Amino acid sequence: MGKEKSMEYRANIRMTEDLYNSINYWADKKGVKVTDYIRDALLLQIKRDNKDYDLPSLEAHRLNQIIDTLEAVSANMSCLQDIVQSNFVNLMAVAHGTNYLMD
């Protein structure tokens, strides 16, 4: 039994000169034909549209968790700094004797 060959179809597309130059550049950089590069790009976009893509690695997921935690700690630290500064201003006002309760 021989290997069956799938049908191939041709599609003509129009693009800007910048896009054409970019496709040529990346195809050349990867060492593939322009048609293969375009075909791979289209297949990749179809996979994205079908939500058929690899999830981030565990390391990337853990790094994202750490970044989120660090951002939360930074926000909490900022709030704490505001509270401490406000309390010192109040303490200095009491020590200076300009408090309305001292009258």
Side-chain angles (χ1 to χ4, degrees):
M1 296 191 153
K3 190 176 184 183
E4 290 186 32
K5 187 173 183 180
S6 63
M7 295 286 296
E8 290 189 2
Y9 298 91
R10 176 181 294 267
N12 294 321
I13 60 171
R14 295 183 186 272
M15 64 185 80
T16 64
E17 184 177 357
D18 289 341
L19 178 59
Y20 181 75
N21 291 335
S22 182
I23 290 170
N24 278 318
Y25 170 80
W26 285 107
D28 185 50
K29 187 163 180 108
K30 291 184 179 246
V32 296
K33 296 178 185 175
V34 171
T35 54
D36 292 336
Y37 184 81
I38 293 172
R39 184 181 304 119
D40 291 344
L42 290 172
L43 288 172
L44 184 61
Q45 184 59 44
I46 290 169
K47 283 184 176 183
R48 285 187 191 138
D49 291 343
N50 288 331
K51 308 236 185 298
D52 181 20
Y53 46 83
D54 293 332
L55 294 175
S57 67
L58 291 176
E59 294 87 1
H61 182 66
R62 182 64 179 143
L63 184 61
N64 289 335
Q65 284 180 330
I66 292 170
I67 290 170
D68 290 342
T69 303
L70 186 60
E71 288 174 350
V73 167
S74 178
N76 289 341
M77 190 66 141
S78 179
C79 290
L80 182 60
Q81 180 182 0
D82 292 343
I83 291 169
V84 169
Q85 286 177 344
S86 174
N87 284 336
F88 271 115
V89 167
N90 292 336
L91 184 62
M92 293 302 290
V94 168
H96 189 259
T98 57
N99 191 340
Y100 73 94
L101 296 176
M102 300 292 276
D103 290 340

